[in-house]
Amino acid sequence: MRTAIFGFMLLLLTSVSPVAEAIDLRELRMINHQVNLDYQRQQQTGQRYSHSALAKYHLVRQRFPDARMMITHAQHVTPSGYEIEPHTVVTVEADNRIWVMDYELLNIYTAEDRRDLKPVTSIELRGDQVWIHHNHRDWSIQSSQPADPATEARLRSTLLNSAS
């Protein structure tokens, strides 16, 4: 009887829970590696980092359209605790982890591996809405709010336009 109840509950849970898209971490690494190399070769560094984050966002969105992704503004923290240059990274949720696609490193890392980054805010396009999240130090979401109409229009345009 227990087996039948357990089987029924498992079937019920799998039928109502959203299906998570499988993400090939090797492909995420390849996207991060290639975009970083392409953008490191550019002469102008002023917009190189934010543009590489958008390029990664678009490539991951094309390859894994249902993946949960965010563009995260993070602060680089030295081992002594000083906060220095800001970072813009792409974070992708896969395998019950948050993977960080950074502009300066060729590999991808879990949020736990990137203790030198302190996430501040994230932007996420979820459904038909643009969300702005405020993050905890552990990369979890502390609070969220929908973007105001003007910000949403600008971000939606940026996030949905194909990479050039």
Side-chain angles (χ1 to χ4, degrees):
M1 180 69 172
R2 282 187 182 176
T3 306
I5 292 172
F6 177 75
F8 177 72
M9 291 301 292
L10 185 61
L11 180 63
L12 182 63
L13 286 173
T14 57
S15 65
V16 295
S17 63
V19 177
E21 180 173 355
I23 295 178
D24 184 353
L25 294 177
R26 292 172 301 185
E27 192 158 349
L28 277 184
R29 284 183 179 96
M30 183 185 72
I31 289 169
N32 192 65
H33 182 91
Q34 188 59 49
V35 170
N36 283 356
L37 288 178
D38 289 347
Y39 278 84
Q40 286 173 6
R41 293 182 189 120
Q42 291 186 4
Q43 297 300 315
Q44 292 183 314
T45 59
Q47 296 178 333
R48 177 170 70 191
Y49 308 126
S50 60
H51 287 187
S52 71
L54 284 175
K56 289 175 197 174
Y57 182 89
H58 290 299
L59 288 170
V60 173
R61 174 72 61 211
Q62 286 172 6
R63 178 59 183 98
F64 305 107
D66 296 325
R68 184 165 191 202
M69 301 184 340
M70 293 178 230
I71 294 180
T72 302
H73 176 75
Q75 194 70 39
H76 188 226
V77 181
T78 65
S80 58
Y82 289 104
E83 294 181 2
I84 54 175
E85 77 268 2
H87 276 44
T88 301
V89 298
V90 175
T91 54
V92 180
E93 198 173 298
D95 297 337
N96 294 321
R97 290 191 169 137
I98 296 173
W99 292 90
V100 178
M101 300 174 76
D102 198 340
Y103 69 80
E104 64 182 6
L105 304 171
L106 293 179
N107 202 352
I108 61 171
Y109 295 90
T110 64
E112 294 86 23
D113 293 336
R114 292 305 312 264
R115 298 220 185 269
D116 63 321
L117 292 181
K118 178 180 120 185
V120 180
T121 56
S122 299
I123 300 166
E124 178 183 20
L125 179 62
R126 186 171 11 141
D128 290 331
Q129 187 121 35
V130 175
W131 289 88
I132 299 175
H133 307 295
H134 297 278
N135 301 90
H136 280 290
R137 178 77 166 114
D138 67 356
W139 295 81
S140 64
I141 295 173
Q142 178 179 351
S143 63
S144 299
Q145 64 189 36
D148 62 76
T151 302
E152 180 171 356
R154 186 171 43 88
L155 291 173
R156 181 181 297 282
S157 171
T158 301
L159 297 176
L160 292 178
N161 286 337
S162 60
S164 43

